[in-house]
Amino acid sequence: MLQKKLCLSVILIILIALAVLTIFSGCAKTVDSDLGDYSGEIGEGIHIEIDYEIESEPDEESGELIEVEDQEVPLAAWGSSEINVNEYAAEVFRLANIERKNAGLSDFSADAALTKAAVTRAKELIKLFSHERPDGRSCFTAYAECKVSYRAAAENIAAGQKTPESVIESWMNSPGHKANILNSKYGHLGVGVAVDSDGKIYWSMNFTD
């Protein structure tokens, strides 16, 4: 009889312990996904790796490949005249490189073709906030359209953050997005910023090796 009571007590203790662990597990997930006071949302960080290089397509008019030298092309963006989106994009780029330096990594290089793809994606986020494009294709098809060559690529997106500082902080507080920013495989970055008619800001970071 005593053994039976002891067994029941042990089972009860185990059940209570499991219940407590479940509660704390749920709390941990909530904390991990909480972006604190940041006003905005971020899409899941996405990346792709392939075992061959996607070559740039010839320019339709000249038939020649477009070559871009790193660091010589200014960042570009698109959006409302009330916000200097070029400055916002440049600041995101600068802040991303600060995060890289803090992690002991080399700076990103700017690339005109990749920046064009990022701007395209930022504009598309106004229509559909997703790593899928409004027509249902993968975000990486924008790379091919803008003649970006790569072996590995990634995309971070966000919407609603009002400043470059807040969007970088949102991404750095998200494991998937942080991993893209601090991935040593990626050496090139394009930043796109777009603003809808209501003044909501959309952000896109696009990476390649």
Side-chain angles (χ1 to χ4, degrees):
M1 190 70 177
L2 181 60
Q3 283 185 332
K4 192 172 183 180
K5 286 183 179 180
L6 285 173
C7 288
L8 288 173
S9 298
V10 170
I11 292 171
L12 183 59
I13 290 170
I14 291 172
L15 289 174
I16 292 172
L18 288 173
V20 170
L21 285 174
T22 301
I23 291 170
F24 276 105
S25 175
C27 291
K29 290 179 181 177
T30 302
V31 171
D32 288 342
S33 63
D34 186 13
L35 295 178
D37 296 327
Y38 311 123
S39 57
E41 56 185 319
I42 53 177
E44 181 182 355
I46 186 173
H47 69 276
I48 184 173
E49 290 189 39
I50 51 179
D51 58 3
Y52 58 90
E53 183 173 1
I54 294 181
E55 297 291 347
S56 297
E57 298 178 0
D59 180 73
E60 292 182 0
E61 295 182 2
S62 66
E64 298 178 355
L65 293 178
I66 297 175
E67 296 183 0
V68 179
E69 294 186 11
D70 293 339
Q71 304 292 8
E72 296 186 359
V73 183
L75 292 166
W78 173 92
S80 166
S81 60
E82 296 179 2
I83 294 173
N84 190 323
V85 288
N86 290 307
E87 288 185 2
Y88 272 31
E91 183 64 3
V92 168
F93 192 94
R94 187 186 74 84
L95 293 172
N97 274 336
I98 288 176
E99 297 293 346
R100 298 270 291 188
K101 286 180 181 178
N102 291 340
L105 301 171
S106 59
D107 285 359
F108 285 120
S109 296
D111 181 284
L114 187 57
T115 298
K116 184 178 179 181
V119 172
T120 296
R121 288 292 299 130
K123 291 161 65 175
E124 291 178 344
L125 294 177
I126 294 175
K127 299 178 181 177
L128 178 65
F129 186 70
S130 170
H131 289 297
E132 283 191 1
R133 304 179 72 182
D135 61 6
R137 292 182 296 159
S138 163
C139 60
F140 297 113
T141 60
Y143 288 49
E145 290 177 2
C146 295
K147 303 176 176 62
V148 177
S149 300
Y150 64 91
R151 288 179 180 273
E155 176 177 86
N156 284 353
I157 60 175
Q161 290 83 357
K162 296 180 180 179
T163 65
E165 291 80 9
S166 62
V167 75
I168 285 290
E169 197 164 1
S170 291
W171 280 327
M172 291 302 292
N173 277 281
S174 167
H177 300 85
K178 180 179 180 179
N180 283 340
I181 294 171
L182 301 183
N183 192 328
S184 60
K185 292 181 180 179
Y186 301 134
H188 297 87
L189 173 66
V191 180
V193 181
V195 186
D196 68 14
S197 58
D198 294 323
K200 185 175 181 178
I201 306 175
Y202 294 80
W203 313 80
S204 183
M205 295 180 91
N206 296 81
F207 312 81
T208 61
D209 51 339

